[in-house]
Amino acid sequence: MARDPLAVLPALEAALDGSGPPLVLPATADSPWLTVTDPGEARGLALIARTSGSTGEPKAVALPAAALRASAEATAAHLGGPGAWLLALPVHHIAGAQVLLRSLHAGTRPFVSSPGPFTAEGFSADVAAMQAALEPGGRRYTALVPTQIARLLDDPEALARAAWFDAILVGGAALHPSLHDRATEAGLNLVRTYGMTETCGGVVYDRMPLPGVDLDIDPQGRIVIAAPMVASGYADIEADGTAARLRSLRPFEEVPGLGRRFRTSDLGSLQDGMLSVHGRADDVLISGGENVSPALVEAALLRALPGLRQAIVTGVDDPEWGTRIVALLQPEQGPEPAPASAPGAPGGASADAAAADRVPDPGTGGGTPAAAWWAGGDVDLARLRSLLSGRLPAAALPRQAFLVESLPERGIGKPDRAAAKTLAGRLASRESRFSGPGGPDG
């Protein structure tokens, strides 16, 4: 089947209305769509999509037509009605595929961004073409990831074009508060989304569940989602050329009156119906006998450190602490980023040694002199820990921190924590200095 997103629309529409066979999303940007010749026990199946594999091997998720329709309807209702969409994400991820599905639901033809890597200049040209083609008065939407938002902020023309959209859905990874504030101050209409392939994409917008979505927190602190958008279950498929056969289905739990229920791997909390996501349960580090959530440490770093663009917190083996908390920090300004991946790394990507090169100190063009948490290309660890003190428990304070020119990513803007752990281990082995008070409370 054709790789062109527009060429696949008729087959996708037929899969949704049941007049054609279900489809399998491409495994990669260069892979073809597959046709499911035998859907087996998956009633009403329309689409099989793969997870990003951020915590292991990607899973094949069986998405029924009813769940995809429920997702499109809830999104349109939340955003103020159906509209025209610009596809700026790869369709082998559910966020990109949903742009096609929402367009079909709205009865509009999606606009597709130019091929090749995302750039602010290319985005400006794509939006200009969309503006020229559309009649005034309709609603306009697109979906981006935080990395793309960051690139738009450095280009005034791209920012002006982006502000034309009635809503920009932002998902794939957590949107840093500083990036959100800069974008909204520039006039971008951002909608922060939370969801996953197993829920047909976003089911929580700006921390509030969409209509029909029931959120709960289980005794282990994990987010549980019951909704009509939840997938049928995990599929075991056998591919042969351009066709696929569904061999078995591991169904999700059915909840009377709510639809199916999916227990996520994310930790979270609910207050007044609003969801806060605290990171993945399987990312939790244990240092000195204390549980440390990398996502909470990353959020504190971004709030506390002026001039910080991104952060990944990970752990390395330590004879005293069990796991030593290490922060990889990418400043807002610095030299051109070095390549961040190399073959043969965990999960197919690893941070290259060049990415660990020190960046210039604030007085030579990088960073912010007022930040005072790094100088001469090195982190002032004592200052960093002081800035974080009171925001985090002592056990969560980083015991090593390194400046990097870029951070490893996988999927659509998601941090590659396996590659980050490898990079942190490499850097930590070069430097034995870390704060040394003698206990979790030291």
Side-chain angles (χ1 to χ4, degrees), residues 8-63:
V8 80
L9 282 175
L12 192 56
E13 186 172 23
L16 283 172
D17 66 21
S19 63
L23 303 179
V24 181
L25 285 187
T28 68
D30 299 321
S31 302
W33 292 69
L34 305 180
T35 299
V36 179
T37 55
D38 181 6
E41 59 190 290
R43 296 189 306 273
L45 177 67
L47 194 65
I48 294 177
R50 295 175 177 85
T51 64
S52 64
S54 55
T55 59
E57 285 296 314
K59 299 182 179 72
V61 181
L63 302 175

Side-chain angles (χ1 to χ4, degrees), residues 227-256:
M229 303 83 162
V230 171
S232 298
Y234 291 124
D236 177 15
I237 59 173
E238 180 181 24
D240 182 13
T242 59
R245 181 175 68 87
L246 193 147
R247 293 188 293 200
S248 63
L249 178 72
R250 181 154 54 96
F252 294 154
E253 178 189 4
E254 293 275 355
V255 181

Side-chain angles (χ1 to χ4, degrees), residues 176 178-179 298 300-311 328-333 368 371 373-374 403:
H176 301 148
S178 61
L179 188 60
E298 290 157 3
L301 286 163
L302 288 160
R303 287 192 298 267
L305 305 186
L308 180 63
R309 179 185 289 272
Q310 295 185 86
L328 303 177
L329 308 172
Q330 180 187 358
E332 285 282 2
Q333 297 179 345
T368 306
W373 57 270
W374 63 283
L403 296 178

Side-chain angles (χ1 to χ4, degrees), residues 76-398:
H78 182 89
L79 297 181
W85 286 83
L86 172 66
L87 174 63
L89 296 172
V91 296
H92 62 282
H93 291 287
I94 189 62
Q98 274 286 25
V99 171
L100 303 182
L101 294 161
R102 291 167 184 146
S103 296
L104 288 172
H105 177 263
T108 60
R109 186 173 179 83
F111 292 79
V112 179
S113 59
S114 305
F118 181 91
T119 65
E121 296 82 1
F123 179 83
S124 293
D126 294 333
V127 178
M130 185 175 179
Q131 290 172 324
L134 287 177
E135 295 290 336
R139 297 187 68 77
R140 297 92 51 177
Y141 307 122
T142 191
L144 301 173
V145 296
T147 302
Q148 293 171 313
I149 297 291
R151 292 176 186 170
L152 297 182
L153 288 173
D154 295 329
D155 187 298
E157 182 184 352
L159 267 182
R161 298 286 186 187
W164 173 73
F165 287 98
D166 293 292
I168 300 174
L169 304 187
V170 184
L175 181 65
H176 301 148
S178 61
L179 188 60
H180 174 268
D181 292 346
R182 289 174 58 202
T184 53
E185 287 168 6
L188 272 58
N189 301 307
L190 302 186
V191 178
R192 292 167 291 183
T193 70
Y194 170 76
M196 56 280 301
T197 308
E198 291 90 343
T199 59
C200 295
V203 290
V204 176
Y205 283 12
D206 289 328
R207 299 182 59 199
M208 293 298 296
L210 291 176
V213 176
D214 181 80
L215 300 178
D216 196 9
I217 307 297
D218 75 5
Q220 289 73 46
R222 297 192 184 210
I223 300 168
V224 180
I225 301 170
M229 303 83 162
V230 171
S232 298
Y234 291 124
D236 177 15
I237 59 173
E238 180 181 24
D240 182 13
T242 59
R245 181 175 68 87
L246 193 147
R247 293 188 293 200
S248 63
L249 178 72
R250 181 154 54 96
F252 294 154
E253 178 189 4
E254 293 275 355
V255 181
L258 292 176
R260 287 170 294 274
R261 176 183 286 158
F262 177 65
R263 182 173 180 262
T264 76
S265 296
D266 295 324
L267 299 173
S269 59
L270 288 167
Q271 184 173 7
D272 298 327
M274 301 185 74
L275 177 68
S276 295
V277 182
H278 305 316
R280 295 187 66 88
D282 40 19
D283 289 338
V284 168
L285 306 170
I286 301 176
S287 183
E290 301 288 336
N291 288 348
V292 176
S293 166
L296 291 181
V297 182
E298 290 157 3
L301 286 163
L302 288 160
R303 287 192 298 267
L305 305 186
L308 180 63
R309 179 185 289 272
Q310 295 185 86
I312 294 182
V313 170
T314 185
V316 299
D317 291 340
D318 184 271
E320 180 179 358
W321 302 100
T323 297
R324 187 188 320 153
I325 307 301
V326 180
L328 303 177
L329 308 172
Q330 180 187 358
E332 285 282 2
Q333 297 179 345
E336 287 297 313
S341 62
S350 174
D352 190 89
D357 290 344
R358 300 295 191 261
V359 300
D361 64 39
T364 60
T368 306
W373 57 270
W374 63 283
D378 286 303
V379 176
D380 182 339
L381 187 62
R383 176 62 175 158
L384 180 147
R385 286 169 61 92
S386 175
L387 290 168
L388 292 174
S389 180
R391 297 175 182 266
L392 293 170
L397 298 177

